[in-house]
Amino acid sequence: MPLYKLSYFEERGLGEVSRQLFHLSGTPFWDNRIPFDHWPRIKEYTPFGQVPILCVDGEELPQSFAIARYLANQFGFAGKSAFESAWVDALADQHKDYLNEIKPFLMVANGFAEGDKEKMMNEMAKPSIRKYFTILEKQAKDNGSNGYFVGNSITWIDLVVSDHMGVIETLVPNAFDGFPLVEAVRQKITSEPKLKEWIEKRPET
């Protein structure tokens, strides 16, 4: 078995989905959590000057979605066919487009930038959430309302959306009203025993 090391900050953020993939698959890994005050000293030695970074037997891989996609393929969470995998990737690309739209709001809401949080929530975040989650609701329905976005088993996009919902609901009240099928995906995914165990014991961040 390869030796895995996942390096990210002491928070969920962009490293959480990959951590979940390790726990779902029962694969041992070094969860290397970097204190923020250590980051300036090591940033220049990373491939792209950012984290997360996955190290596999000494080989480094940057970019959160590239890491998640790699692990999902290794552990069986990327879809059961080439077409399913392509759909997972399509939804992941849509998720990144959506994140780019709401990033200014997230920066302000999390204290990393100055701005009118309330105004940005109403004028930026809420419309973007509604547009993206309307797409997800349709996809969940088209997939048979079976508790997954693609196919009939967990894929890494289910984890991406479920974890993101946990973040957004702390910042935007009633963000997911009107999206029952998306909520059903989250409930099914987070009830999976191995994932539920991890969520209950992971560090509070």
Side-chain angles (χ1 to χ4, degrees), residues 21 25 70-80 153-156:
L21 286 165
S25 65
Y70 171 80
L71 294 176
N73 276 294
Q74 293 296 106
F75 303 152
F77 297 101
K80 293 182 177 179
S153 61
I154 296 176
T155 62
W156 65 278

Side-chain angles (χ1 to χ4, degrees), residues 29-100:
F29 76 109
W30 176 8
D31 190 0
N32 180 37
R33 295 182 178 239
I34 304 168
F36 279 114
D37 58 352
H38 290 187
W39 175 238
R41 299 200 298 269
I42 63 178
K43 180 178 181 178
E44 65 178 297
Y45 301 106
T46 62
F48 293 167
Q50 60 191 35
V51 285
I53 297 169
L54 177 68
C55 188
V56 184
D57 288 338
E59 297 283 341
E60 291 186 329
L61 176 66
Q63 282 288 354
S64 60
F65 275 20
I67 294 169
R69 185 180 294 110
Y70 171 80
L71 294 176
N73 276 294
Q74 293 296 106
F75 303 152
F77 297 101
K80 293 182 177 179
S81 69
F83 194 74
E84 284 189 7
S85 295
W87 254 107
V88 171
D89 287 345
L91 290 171
D93 286 343
Q94 191 67 32
H95 187 84
K96 293 184 81 170
D97 288 347
Y98 152 75
L99 285 182
N100 285 333

Side-chain angles (χ1 to χ4, degrees), residues 98-178:
Y98 152 75
L99 285 182
N100 285 333
E101 289 183 11
I102 67 167
K103 183 177 180 179
F105 165 74
L106 294 176
M107 294 293 288
V108 170
N110 288 300
F112 294 113
E114 296 292 327
D116 187 331
K117 177 182 173 182
E118 195 72 18
K119 182 178 180 181
M120 294 176 78
M121 179 178 69
N122 290 319
E123 296 182 3
M124 177 187 298
K126 287 184 176 180
S128 294
I129 290 168
R130 181 144 298 276
K131 180 175 72 173
Y132 174 52
F133 276 77
T134 296
I135 292 171
L136 292 176
E137 186 77 3
K138 181 179 184 300
Q139 177 62 22
K141 181 179 180 181
D142 290 348
N143 195 50
S145 304
N146 64 354
Y148 307 107
F149 289 118
V150 179
N152 59 6
S153 61
I154 296 176
T155 62
W156 65 278
I157 193 60
D158 298 323
L159 302 178
V160 168
V161 174
S162 297
D163 186 68
H164 178 72
M165 290 172 73
V167 174
I168 289 295
E169 67 186 0
T170 68
L171 304 173
V172 181
N174 307 312
F176 310 117
D177 287 357

